[in-house]
Amino acid sequence: MGTVLDLNFLKIQVENRPELMTGGDNLVTKDMIIKDIVEKYPYTLPVFGQFNMGCLGCSGALFETLEQGAMAHGIDVDAMLKAINAMIEKNQ
C-alpha cells in the first residue's frame, strides 16, 4: 500500500480553471508552478515522491516553479521533468 498524501490544501478546482483542462501535447515545463502541475496531472504525484520531493504540502508548492523546487532540494530538474512528462504521456 502506498503513501496517501492529503492535497486538500490545493483546493483543486479544475472546472473553474479552463487553462488546467487543456490536454494534448501540453507537457510540463520547468517554469510551471508545482501546484499547477499537480492540479492538471494528479497522477504525477508518485514521480514527485520518487525524487524525494515530498514538499507538496508546503507553501512553496503554491508559488515555486518546478525548477525552483528541484534546485532547492538538489534534484536534477531535467531528469525529473523527463519522468513527469513520461508519466503524462503514459496516462493520456
Side-chain angles (χ1 to χ4, degrees):
M1 183 144 177
T3 302
V4 177
L5 298 174
D6 181 7
L7 298 175
N8 288 326
F9 77 96
L10 292 176
K11 296 179 180 159
I12 300 172
Q13 297 178 354
V14 175
E15 66 278 1
N16 293 328
R17 299 202 38 209
E19 73 275 12
L20 296 177
M21 297 176 72
T22 59
D25 296 327
N26 296 335
L27 298 179
V28 171
T29 60
K30 295 177 190 181
D31 64 336
M32 288 179 71
I33 303 297
I34 295 168
K35 175 186 72 77
D36 292 343
I37 296 168
V38 173
E39 284 181 344
K40 187 172 180 179
Y41 306 109
Y43 47 81
T44 61
L45 279 171
V47 177
F48 285 89
Q50 289 170 0
F51 282 84
N52 295 318
M53 197 163 174
C55 63
L56 294 174
C58 82
S59 62
L62 300 174
F63 61 86
E64 283 185 344
T65 65
L66 180 63
E67 184 171 38
Q68 290 168 330
M71 287 175 54
H73 293 281
I75 297 169
D76 178 352
V77 68
D78 292 320
M80 187 172 186
L81 187 61
K82 183 177 179 180
I84 289 171
N85 283 326
M87 179 66 79
I88 292 169
E89 289 174 345
K90 177 182 173 185
N91 283 277
Q92 284 187 346

